[in-house]
Amino acid sequence: MSQLTTRSPRRAMQLRFVDHTLTAPDDVDERTREVYSSTHALPEGMPVILDSRWRPVEPWLTYFRIIAGSTERSTARNYAYDALRFASFLDARGTDVVHASDDDIVAYREWRVGSAERPVSPATWQRDVVVIRGIYQLLMQTGQIRREPWITIGRSSALRSPWRSEPDIRPLTQEQWSAFRDIGLGGQTATGELDASWRGSTSLRSQAGAQVAVTTGMRLGEFSTLLDAELPASTGTGVSVLLEACAKYQKRRRVHVPSTTLRAVDLYRQTERRAVVRASASSLWSRRGELFIVDELDVSAGVVRGRLDGRPSRWRLHLLPPRLRQIAVIERDGGLEALGLFLGRGGLPISRRAWHATFEAASRRTLDLASNDMGGRRARITPHDLRHTFAVVLLKALTDVALAREADRRAGDLGPATLSEHIAINPRLTVQRLLGHSNPATTMIYLRYIEDTDTLVRDVFDSWSDEAATFADAVLAERSAE
């Protein structure tokens, strides 16, 4: 059980998480025993904010019941601590979320971002904003308030931080990517031979996951939760994957997966994944009571049906939340098989922590054995660095395509461009859409890096593979077909 308390002149709120393994003691009354039983109707791990008398605090209880069904448990846990901090701050001011005023919201923002002791980063404050907006949207939808307590004038409101900070963009060169993939993840030596001291057993899984990230721009939380059925076998063309439940802030977008990446996934699927599925079939069967048993998976219709805790459960495939993706299994001849793509030793998808550990170990190995090929880079490589690489390389290539078309048009080889053509081939808009950025300014940050990326792959992922067509061509073709 977890707990967080904050100083308050009135009372101390506490945070707990639903734990279905707990049972009522033998010496409690029937009412208390009913309370223990009633918690089983709540999702496992769901946050619950309690007041000083250990009563659930509304509307936070309803808020977390709603988001628990579509938010990964680790994310909901982070939101819970943000919510407790906000609720406790208001409580210390003698109010709550229903009755808070604009002054209360401003005071909280100033306390968080202007604290002399330890002001938070812009990213942390934005997570606070997600929680604050979420709870007030719920209050408006349920009719408890008529409008948000803050006043918005233009683009200024109590939720906007007084400063801005840019992310640390660290794209890889082709040499850096190749060294990381082959030496760090694949267990090769700097000369391209298999390292006799290499003890890794999941190199194909690691390489396939990393290639998905670098050629699609998916975040770790997105590619790590992919289902096997969402990436079909390669047929010489790429595929589009619809992301939503696992995307940041559940913002829907489509990503294109090139055929070369599908082939890397196929190789992993036919070797390491097949071995894991075979070895874990019986052990998963013994755990079936705690798993999401899928009875029907219709990829063409985008529907998955199954049973969770003995109750029927139906989802649109792209809306299947991360927590269910982690435990979704289907019955095969030899037992149960996980629906997830990147599986661990126990037969279920590996966690984000495991992916971070994989990248950490691969970074150390790459830096030790291939320092000459890393272009002076000594920082470890993270999954998000691969997303940055995708953005910078693709933006560079699409900019080259747009400039070439403009040159042809000026030479008279092409007619005047229509407005739709300008929008369709706009490099920044394309990258913004593929990355799922809400704010165009976030994508604009990458523009300053394309002038210094001539050592990156000129033709995007053409030179990273043996494909004749560039990834930029694939994206443009996809946009033309829309």
Side-chain angles (χ1 to χ4, degrees), residues 296-318:
E296 179 186 359
L297 177 60
D298 189 338
V299 179
S300 59
V303 174
V304 56
R305 296 183 179 88
R307 291 165 287 121
L308 182 64
D309 296 330
R311 296 190 297 269
S313 183
R314 180 185 183 278
W315 294 86
R316 298 291 296 177
L317 194 57
H318 63 282

Side-chain angles (χ1 to χ4, degrees), residues 261-328:
T261 299
L262 293 179
R263 288 202 296 270
V265 172
D266 280 346
L267 180 58
Y268 153 69
R269 180 185 282 131
Q270 295 166 14
T271 52
E272 293 177 359
R273 189 182 186 279
R274 179 176 296 176
V276 169
V277 168
R278 187 166 48 245
S280 61
S282 58
S283 61
L284 287 179
W285 181 262
S286 65
R287 300 174 53 190
R288 62 188 181 279
E290 59 191 74
L291 302 177
F292 175 36
I293 309 297
V294 174
D295 300 316
E296 179 186 359
L297 177 60
D298 189 338
V299 179
S300 59
V303 174
V304 56
R305 296 183 179 88
R307 291 165 287 121
L308 182 64
D309 296 330
R311 296 190 297 269
S313 183
R314 180 185 183 278
W315 294 86
R316 298 291 296 177
L317 194 57
H318 63 282
L319 296 177
L320 188 66
R323 64 182 182 86
L324 291 186
R325 288 170 175 258
Q326 290 292 116
I327 60 173

Side-chain angles (χ1 to χ4, degrees), residues 251-428:
K251 182 179 179 181
R252 179 187 298 193
R253 80 178 192 278
R254 282 193 176 274
V255 297
H256 177 84
V257 185
S259 59
T260 50
T261 299
L262 293 179
R263 288 202 296 270
V265 172
D266 280 346
L267 180 58
Y268 153 69
R269 180 185 282 131
Q270 295 166 14
T271 52
E272 293 177 359
R273 189 182 186 279
R274 179 176 296 176
V276 169
V277 168
R278 187 166 48 245
S280 61
S282 58
S283 61
L284 287 179
W285 181 262
S286 65
R287 300 174 53 190
R288 62 188 181 279
E290 59 191 74
L291 302 177
F292 175 36
I293 309 297
V294 174
D295 300 316
E296 179 186 359
L297 177 60
D298 189 338
V299 179
S300 59
V303 174
V304 56
R305 296 183 179 88
R307 291 165 287 121
L308 182 64
D309 296 330
R311 296 190 297 269
S313 183
R314 180 185 183 278
W315 294 86
R316 298 291 296 177
L317 194 57
H318 63 282
L319 296 177
L320 188 66
R323 64 182 182 86
L324 291 186
R325 288 170 175 258
Q326 290 292 116
I327 60 173
V329 296
I330 192 167
E331 188 172 353
R332 305 294 191 195
D333 292 339
L336 294 180
E337 176 184 340
L339 292 189
L341 177 59
F342 299 114
L343 305 183
R345 187 174 302 174
L348 295 177
I350 64 173
S351 64
R352 290 192 188 190
R353 180 176 299 180
W355 275 111
H356 279 298
T358 297
F359 273 66
E360 180 75 32
S363 295
R364 290 196 302 267
R365 177 179 167 81
T366 306
L367 293 173
D368 289 342
L369 301 181
S371 57
N372 292 334
D373 295 326
M374 294 299 285
R377 178 188 176 117
R378 303 303 301 172
R380 69 185 181 92
I381 295 172
T382 69
H384 218 68
D385 289 340
L386 301 186
R387 176 174 163 85
H388 291 166
T389 302
F390 166 84
V392 172
V393 174
L394 183 59
L395 188 57
K396 170 65 174 175
L398 291 177
T399 300
D400 289 345
V401 171
L403 291 176
R405 289 193 176 191
E406 183 62 26
D408 290 341
R409 186 167 285 109
R410 290 182 178 181
D413 296 335
L414 291 176
T418 65
L419 176 61
S420 61
E421 287 176 325
H422 277 300
I423 295 175
I425 66 172
N426 185 295
R428 182 184 58 75

